[in-house]
Structures are given as C-alpha cells and as structure tokens.
Amino acid sequence: MNITLNGENFATNAHCVSGLSKEGLFTPEWVVIVNGFQISEDTPIKDGDSVFIIPKSTLPGKEQLEAMLMARHTPKVHNRVKKASVAVMGLGGLGSNIALQLARTGIGSLHLIDYDVVESSNLNRQQYMIKHLGMLKTEALKEQIQQVNPYVNVKTTAVRLTEDNIIEYIKHSDVICEAFDKPECKAMAVNAVLENLPDKYMVASSGMAGLESSNAITTRKIGSHLYICGDGVTAAKQGCGLMAPRVSICAGHMANMILRIITGNYDV
Amino acid sequence: MITVNGKSVQLTKCNLTEYLKEQGYNTQRVVVELNGKIIPKKEYENTVLKEEDVLEVLSFVGGG
C-alpha cells in the first residue's frame, strides 16, 4: 500500500506505525503524527494515511512543522488561520504577546507596527529580552516569531501611526488589532477604522493595569465589527502599574477573539 | 430624555462636545456612536443631540 511519509509518497507493507522504522519510535526522542494527530503508542495504518516521524530535537521542515501545528488544532481551523492576515498596532505588553500567540497558532501573515525601541522598563511584561534592548520592537519581535514559527509571513513597519497615515498601513489586513498604550492612540485608531474601514473586524483594548481580579477582564462586542477587551476602567497610572499576568490575560482575550473571527465565530 | 450607554438620562446639553465635556469625558479618548452611527471627531462640534437619541460613548483608559 501507499502512504505519505514525512510529506512524500512511500510504499510499504507495514500494518502499524512501528513497522515504518527500525528506531524505537515511542520514546521521548521522537514525534509521531498520524493523519494530523500526535500519537504516543503504536497505531495501525492503512492505504492513503499521512505519517510524520520526526526526531524531537531537530527543526522539522515546513510541511512537518505545519503538520505538527495541525496536530495541535484541527486541520480545518489550521487552514483558515494559515490564510489569515492580522495587523498588530503597538508592540508592547499586549501586542508582543498577541503576535507570538498568533504565530504559535499558525497565523499566515502578521503586520507588526510600532515606531519605538525596546527599553529596560518593557521587560516587566513585554515579550522581549535583555539582548533586545535598543532594538526596534518590530525587529525584536520578528526575530522571536521566527524562532517560534519560521513560516509566518511577517511584515514590519516602524512608523508612528496617526489619523493621517493609519488606514494606508492597515487596510490590507483581514483583522485589525489595536494594542496601543495611550488612550488617545486607542481612540484615534478605533475611530479611524470605524469611519474608514467599517467592514473590517477590529479587536481593541481598554483597562488591564493593576492587580484587580482576573475575572474583571472581558471581551465585549460593540456594534457589528468592534470588540473591546479589558475591564474598561483600570488605567495605568502612578501607583497602578501594568503587570505581566493581567496584561497577558487581556492579550489572551484579544488573540482568542482574533482567532474566533478568523474561524467565523463572531460572538464573544 | 436620551439613552446614554444603555441608561435613560435627562438631556442637559444639546451640543455633543458640550455634553461630553459636562459628563467629564476627554474627547480625545472617546469613540461616539449616535443612533448606531459613528460620529467623526471633527463633527462633534456640529452634532446636535435631540430627544429619544441613543448615544454610546466608549472612553478608553491607558495601558497596553
């Protein structure tokens, strides 16, 4: 019979996965994926099956990596996520987390937009490391995304977005993510998209500072195309800083809503 | 009476900019929807509120 082994046609008489290899496959050294699902014990195979057998410690090729991503979602979800493009405006505590979460989920294209460089005060909550200090956030984040999922198409724009230029930069993405820090920038971005790109889905944020309850952070839908994540009230200010856990919770809300939109689930 | 963010309130100022200021909003930090339509910032000054209007004011706080 014929199967696909590591992405290529393969004729075999084996009836089980273990018959495909002389190695002891079901050990910590190997990743074995049959028809998109990672298995941990021997499994029968039949004509037409797709099997990947990859040493755990090495970087797999593109097809193998995508198969592994598919193994962690379902093929239908993965296919839609793979085709989608998202613009992330602001690469601070929210944007850096959101972009990496989308990359881990196999997003097709990311447009990373931020004019600023990484500084030491960012390390308390943003996905950067000491080696990134002084680098443009766009470049530092792109580097990390390539370490996580090198097959994401990453575009970077290191400019300060204003109401005069914002639409030009974001109009080609499927979903728009507002992850700015300053409330004036948030309002500018949401107003610009609602006025000029009313058919675009947008996920924005308001209120994730401090150590208030995790459960106060929600995703709200406003109108037909806008979603706001956060508690809506807890501003970052003196005595009420931004801390990694709550900012990450809000980023998780935003990334999950973006994935829901991409896969056709428009309810919160 | 008008409806503001889902609550029925007495209309105190008819001009949108004046109403927002009176209610303590910073107009640079808000998104305003009036009867289901987004009002561009530059039109706040010329927007007149009237009885039965449904106003939604989304006010952003800082942090990200």
Side-chain angles (χ1 to χ4, degrees):
Chain A
M1 66 178 181
N2 288 294
I3 64 164
T4 306
L5 180 61
N6 289 356
E8 292 179 359
N9 276 326
F10 187 75
T12 180
N13 294 320
H15 297 290
C16 289
V17 172
S18 60
L20 294 171
S21 169
K22 294 191 182 94
E23 311 282 345
L25 288 179
F26 303 100
T27 65
E29 285 80 44
W30 294 91
V31 177
V32 181
I33 296 168
V34 177
N35 297 331
F37 290 92
Q38 191 166 342
I39 59 169
S40 55
E41 55 190 43
D42 205 7
T43 302
I45 51 173
K46 59 186 188 304
D47 196 47
D49 278 353
S50 171
V51 180
F52 287 92
I53 300 173
I54 303 149
K56 205 172 260 186
S57 58
T58 60
L59 177 67
K62 182 174 182 177
E63 286 187 15
Q64 285 100 323
L65 186 65
E66 290 196 335
M68 280 197 260
L69 285 168
M70 284 168 71
R72 283 287 171 259
H73 319 301
T74 64
K76 201 176 159 193
V77 169
H78 179 78
N79 290 342
R80 295 181 82 159
V81 173
K82 179 74 190 159
K83 285 187 194 135
S85 61
V86 178
V88 182
M89 304 184 291
L91 304 178
L94 295 172
S96 62
N97 275 298
I98 292 164
L100 274 166
Q101 288 173 10
L102 294 175
R104 289 188 196 281
T105 319
I107 195 83
S109 302
L110 285 172
H111 187 179
L112 309 176
I113 309 171
D114 197 305
Y115 69 91
D116 212 353
V117 298
V118 179
E119 51 162 303
S120 52
S121 73
N122 301 150
L123 299 177
N124 80 326
R125 69 188 188 284
Q126 305 184 17
Q127 292 286 358
Y128 304 108
M129 300 169 190
I130 286 167
K131 68 173 179 177
H132 296 124
L133 294 178
M135 265 176 94
L136 280 167
K137 288 184 175 177
T138 47
E139 295 309 309
L141 192 55
K142 182 178 179 179
E143 179 196 294
Q144 296 194 84
I145 288 168
Q146 286 169 337
Q147 290 289 311
V148 165
N149 180 350
Y151 308 112
V152 182
N153 174 22
V154 181
K155 182 179 174 186
T156 60
T157 299
V159 301
R160 191 189 286 264
L161 294 181
T162 67
E163 60 187 350
D164 297 322
N165 68 12
I166 182 171
I167 297 302
E168 201 52 41
Y169 286 112
I170 63 178
K171 66 183 179 187
H172 298 298
S173 294
D174 298 329
V175 181
I176 313 292
C177 175
E178 175 283 307
F180 289 129
D181 184 46
K182 293 190 173 65
E184 292 80 5
C185 296
K186 293 172 181 290
M188 178 278 290
V190 173
N191 275 307
V193 171
L194 291 176
E195 285 172 34
N196 298 291
L197 302 170
D199 295 330
K200 288 279 186 201
Y201 284 94
M202 180 174 206
V203 178
S205 58
S206 182
M208 74 298 302
L211 289 172
E212 306 303 317
S213 170
S214 303
N215 294 341
I217 290 178
T218 62
T219 302
R220 286 192 297 146
K221 186 173 185 179
I222 294 169
S224 57
H225 285 67
L226 173 65
Y227 301 82
I228 309 277
C229 301
D231 67 18
V233 292
T234 313
K237 59 186 180 193
Q238 281 191 25
C240 184
L242 291 158
M243 282 163 272
R246 213 156 181 265
V247 173
S248 302
I249 291 166
C250 189
H253 268 260
M254 296 173 78
N256 192 48
M257 195 62 239
I258 290 166
L259 290 168
R260 286 178 59 75
I261 292 165
I262 288 168
T263 52
N265 298 295
Y266 301 106
D267 295 332
V268 298
Chain B
M1 300 290 279
I2 64 168
T3 304
V4 181
N5 293 345
K7 286 178 187 154
S8 205
V9 298
Q10 201 71 42
L11 182 57
T12 48
K13 300 268 186 196
C14 292
N15 176 277
L16 178 59
T17 300
E18 287 179 20
Y19 181 80
L20 292 172
K21 281 187 177 155
E22 182 200 64
Q23 296 297 313
Y25 289 109
N26 176 338
T27 56
Q28 292 304 307
R29 298 181 176 183
V30 297
V31 171
V32 176
E33 191 183 65
L34 181 59
N35 302 324
K37 193 169 167 288
I38 297 297
I39 307 296
K41 198 143 286 187
K42 57 182 181 294
E43 291 176 20
Y44 288 3
E45 201 59 54
N46 301 319
T47 298
V48 177
L49 300 174
K50 56 187 191 312
E51 290 291 322
E52 309 293 313
D53 272 351
V54 177
L55 183 69
E56 293 286 331
V57 184
L58 179 62
S59 181
F60 286 92
V61 301

